[in-house]
Amino acid sequence: MIPYGRQDITQADIDAVAAVLRSDFLTQGPAVPRFEAAVAAKVGVAHAVAVNSATSALHIACVALDLGPGDLLWTTPVTFVASANCALYCGADVDFVDIDPRTYNMSVARLEEKLIAAKTAGRLPKIVVPVHLCGQSCDMAAIGALAQKYGFKVIEDASHAIGGSYKGAPVGACQYSDITVFSFHPVKIITTAEGGMAMTRNAELANRMARLRSHGITRDPSEMTQAPDGPWYYQQTELGWNYRMTDLHAALGCSQLDRLETYVDRRHQIAARYNTALAGLALDVPWQQPDTRSALHLYVICLTDSTRHRAAFDGLRQRGIGVNLHYIPVHLQPHYRKRGFGPGDFPEAERYYSRAISIPMYPTMTDADQDEVVNIVREVV
Ligand SMILES: *Cc1c(COP(=O)(O)O)cnc(C)c1O
């Protein structure tokens, strides 16, 4: 089976992790701040907070932006459930904005319409979470302008998008957002096994997220309600969690980060070959917005004829191509149907779901593997 994605682990990665195993600190040591500084420098942002998953990063990002009961978070229906669940963790409500039929990202036109209606109804969102699907940035300048106009905060879910750029700036620079979140799960662009990171320009937000990932505890006297009792003293100033990344994971991340550009360049080569080889078939290849450079986490084809979708998907799997579908629209999940959502709510997202197939895309895929994928896609589609 040729998988739809897979990690690449080198001897350098193994050596980096082994070095931590032989060191004094398995966790809360120097590797985590080193990884944070390296990612922050790579994407050109002042602050980074490493955590044990992107899901945790989304959660503490919402808490740091004071999302709570009675508040509303909007995201796209075409994403992994975590982009929406972070609001529910905070006791807030979720709603969705339908996608753009070309990029499959949150539609800025639908967002603006929905904001106008929400303003009239007195129910504006506190946070909007655009998701850079497949690694292609959303139109952040437009979303940032709406954030200014309507007074909401922006968390970019860039789980797919480290190594990508928007209008010449790396994704993660937070030019038009409050916080950007990366995932380092093995299927993503670079991996720490499990892991995530929240990037921000705002020192206060970074500080608060750093406390929230470790129980809400501070050792900084300036953040305490009284002078320390002694050198052992710390204070828990609010409720946090244990969302810390370990030094083993961070060392793997540092080593992987060295190959970020190589990985993304290779993904672009693979995409260019697919674009050529699949031209003329009854499907859409991924459309790229001219002012973005995608990290190309996923290569999604959309069949012209949705009635052929299931047979094509099954046919590809039967012929040894490990295709997948990213994603089942979140509003159609039972947990969200219980909250009042259902079929027909977000027609473009549902139309995408009826046609989309993620075909293999990972940097170590050989040309021969790719030729096999292309031949089978041609036969099956
Ligand atoms: C993978 C992913 C997440 C969650 O990442 P974890 O690190 O596994 O918690 C969140 N959002 C999107 C869009 C993802 O693809």
Side-chain angles (χ1 to χ4, degrees):
M1 184 78 90
I2 301 177
Y4 83 84
R6 69 163 287 141
Q7 73 274 15
D8 171 42
I9 298 296
T10 64
Q11 189 60 46
D13 293 344
I14 294 166
D15 293 345
V17 175
V20 173
L21 282 168
R22 293 190 193 95
S23 77
D24 291 337
F25 295 98
L26 301 185
T27 190
Q28 296 179 283
V32 172
R34 186 154 37 89
F35 184 40
E36 289 171 334
V39 177
K42 185 77 85 178
V43 304
V45 76
H47 307 283
V49 180
V51 286
N52 58 2
S53 71
T55 304
S56 305
L58 287 164
H59 182 192
I60 59 172
C62 287
V63 177
L65 293 170
D66 295 319
L67 190 73
D71 292 331
L72 198 47
L73 176 149
W74 290 358
T75 187
T76 166
V78 177
T79 185
F80 185 56
V81 291
S83 318
N85 288 346
C86 55
L88 305 185
Y89 298 152
C90 299
D93 290 318
V94 176
D95 201 353
F96 303 94
V97 178
D98 208 354
I99 61 166
D100 178 293
R102 263 217 296 197
T103 61
Y104 319 134
N105 279 331
M106 176 185 284
S107 159
V108 173
R110 295 292 89 74
L111 174 62
E112 185 161 22
E113 281 169 18
K114 199 172 171 103
L115 286 165
I116 292 166
K119 188 168 184 191
T120 309
R123 191 84 176 106
L124 283 166
K126 186 165 202 170
I127 298 177
V128 173
V129 180
V131 178
H132 305 322
L133 194 74
C134 306
Q136 176 167 233
S137 177
C138 295
D139 187 353
M140 291 311 301
I143 293 170
L146 291 171
Q148 294 285 317
K149 184 165 174 193
Y150 290 93
F152 57 84
K153 304 290 186 186
V154 179
I155 302 172
E156 295 175 69
D157 183 344
S159 292
H160 300 181
I162 191 167
S165 63
Y166 171 73
K167 291 188 192 286
V171 170
C174 298
Q175 219 174 337
Y176 304 99
S177 66
D178 298 280
I179 296 168
T180 299
V181 167
F182 293 132
S183 172
F184 306 124
H185 184 276
V187 298
K188 309 293 165 81
I189 304 282
I190 59 167
T191 190
T192 60
E194 296 281 0
M197 201 177 281
M199 320 305 295
T200 183
R201 295 183 169 202
N202 182 316
E204 232 169 277
L205 284 177
N207 208 19
R208 184 144 181 228
M209 289 191 287
R211 275 201 311 271
L212 289 166
R213 79 171 156 191
S214 198
H215 309 281
I217 282 174
T218 182
R219 290 177 184 279
D220 178 352
S222 74
E223 294 173 355
M224 293 181 186
T225 58
Q226 60 165 76
D229 291 347
W232 62 86
Y233 196 67
Y234 59 82
Q235 274 192 346
Q236 183 193 344
T237 55
E238 66 179 317
L239 184 63
W241 293 266
N242 180 352
Y243 283 168
R244 291 187 304 263
M245 176 180 279
T246 76
D247 280 49
L248 297 166
H249 296 86
L252 177 56
C254 278
S255 181
Q256 290 256 319
L257 189 66
D258 290 340
R259 302 194 297 282
L260 178 63
E261 288 82 7
T262 319
Y263 283 159
V264 174
D265 287 349
R266 176 66 188 140
R267 286 173 179 274
H268 275 266
Q269 283 175 357
I270 294 168
R273 273 184 103 231
Y274 271 146
N275 291 345
T276 309
L278 301 178
L281 298 183
L283 54 81
D284 294 327
V285 299
W287 184 76
Q288 300 295 303
Q289 188 119 20
D291 54 7
T292 63
R293 184 170 189 263
S294 177
L296 284 167
H297 163 52
L298 298 171
Y299 190 93
V300 173
I301 56 172
C302 276
L303 305 191
T304 311
D305 179 2
S306 65
T307 65
R308 295 272 310 124
H309 185 246
R310 179 61 194 269
F313 193 97
D314 290 345
L316 287 160
R317 281 258 177 111
Q318 276 154 18
R319 305 278 309 266
I321 309 301
V323 290
N324 220 317
L325 208 173
H326 301 92
Y327 291 94
I328 305 156
V330 178
H331 70 283
L332 299 179
Q333 294 290 354
H335 190 72
Y336 284 85
R337 290 191 191 213
K338 274 191 287 189
R339 302 181 63 87
F341 296 102
D345 287 349
F346 303 99
E348 286 298 345
E350 293 169 34
R351 202 171 91 81
Y352 165 86
Y353 178 55
S354 72
R355 305 194 304 128
I357 301 176
S358 303
I359 65 173
M361 165 58 90
Y362 51 94
T364 55
M365 181 159 67
T366 64
D367 285 356
D369 285 342
Q370 195 183 6
D371 291 340
E372 188 179 335
V373 175
V374 165
N375 288 334
I376 295 172
V377 170
R378 283 178 163 281
E379 283 167 36
V380 167
V381 176

